[in-house]
Amino acid sequence: MNRKVVVFIASSLDGYIATEDESLEWLFNVEGEGDNGTSEFYETVDTVVMGKRTYDWVMNEQAGEFPYKDKECYVFTRSTVENTEHVTFVNDDVSHFIQKLNHEKGNNIWLVGGGELLSHFIREKLIDELIVTIAPRIIGNGIPLFKAGDDTLDLSLKGTQTFNQFVELHYTVNT
Ligand SMILES: NC(=O)c1ccc[n+]([C@@H]2O[C@H](COP(=O)([O-])OP(=O)(O)OC[C@H]3O[C@@H](n4cnc5c(N)ncnc54)[C@H](OP(=O)(O)O)[C@@H]3O)[C@@H](O)[C@H]2O)c1
């Protein structure tokens, strides 16, 4: 049984994951409940994958302290970046990369984002589950969760949860 690739991400109602200048203030000022299911989800993965812009954003937000030290972490970039104690930088074909991870035993893989890396995973049909937490905000423009021209995906609704003002939509991808 392969490990699942799961997207766990927050979006505005109009489908953006950040403003154009990469602000998430619109998201952080929504009244949620607890940590909005994050730690429960975090327990289900042992590997974290993200694009370089998301990594830079996270490092900036956390004042240089990498937050996912207890997981295996990979950051996609086309530049040459030296690995850190906690992060391996990869410049690989996404399908090949997931194939390699699937040869290793392990739990699920969290695809953190952002939109650019996600679109490569969608086009290569590498996503098994999507958990999208919708914020009650329409922000007009920004970095889209899904890009025009991405491939189509058929999904089945696995469940929903609400965290005060947030709604979490949990889908499995139909094969
Ligand atoms: N709302 C949420 O829950 C959420 C979650 C995640 C991220 N975000 C936000 O999303 C924003 C970033 O998203 P984004 O779409 O602009 O960028 P991204 O997908 O995080 O990163 C894009 C970068 O990743 C590298 N990359 C992407 N695909 C690659 C591939 N196939 N092979 C090798 N390298 C690849 C490239 O890095 P190089 O340029 O270094 O080559 C590219 O510039 C941030 O503001 C972040 O805060 C929000």
Side-chain angles (χ1 to χ4, degrees):
M1 177 74 183
N2 279 350
R3 311 161 72 181
K4 287 181 187 151
V5 177
V6 186
V7 177
F8 179 81
I9 203 161
S11 171
S12 65
L13 182 60
D14 53 346
Y16 296 105
I17 57 169
T19 60
E20 261 154 25
D21 60 357
E22 298 197 64
S23 168
L24 268 75
E25 276 318 302
W26 55 273
L27 177 64
F28 293 150
N29 66 26
V30 174
E31 214 172 304
E33 189 183 323
D35 67 359
N36 308 311
T38 304
S39 48
E40 196 184 332
F41 169 75
Y42 194 67
E43 289 306 307
T44 66
V45 303
D46 65 1
T47 302
V48 169
V49 178
M50 67 189 81
K52 178 68 161 50
R53 275 163 60 96
T54 295
Y55 173 75
D56 289 342
W57 186 90
V58 166
M59 291 306 272
N60 186 44
E61 182 73 8
Q62 302 288 324
E65 187 77 13
F66 188 64
Y68 311 123
K69 290 179 182 165
D70 55 335
K71 310 286 179 190
E72 211 173 302
C73 181
Y74 298 94
V75 173
F76 271 82
T77 175
R78 294 183 184 91
S79 316
T80 308
V81 184
E82 208 170 306
N83 295 342
T84 71
E85 188 188 347
H86 304 289
V87 176
T88 304
F89 292 90
V90 285
N91 183 6
D92 194 0
D93 171 78
V94 287
S95 297
H96 184 244
F97 169 77
I98 290 299
Q99 238 174 41
K100 276 198 295 190
L101 284 193
N102 276 334
H103 280 130
E104 299 162 18
K105 277 212 170 90
N107 290 339
N108 290 349
I109 298 157
W110 177 15
L111 178 58
V112 180
E116 187 187 329
L117 186 61
L118 173 59
S119 98
H120 292 276
F121 273 70
I122 290 177
R123 276 184 252 149
E124 297 296 325
K125 302 229 181 292
L126 295 170
I127 308 292
D128 298 295
E129 296 193 13
L130 271 159
I131 304 171
V132 182
T133 300
I134 304 291
R137 298 282 185 271
I138 290 172
I139 64 172
N141 52 44
I143 299 173
L145 173 57
F146 302 113
K147 287 190 197 305
D150 274 353
D151 213 338
T152 58
L153 285 182
D154 262 349
L155 310 170
S156 295
L157 185 66
K158 191 171 175 187
T160 60
Q161 292 192 77
T162 58
F163 299 100
N164 195 351
Q165 289 294 304
F166 287 108
V167 184
E168 181 196 273
L169 306 170
H170 188 162
Y171 297 100
T172 52
V173 177
N174 300 337
T175 49

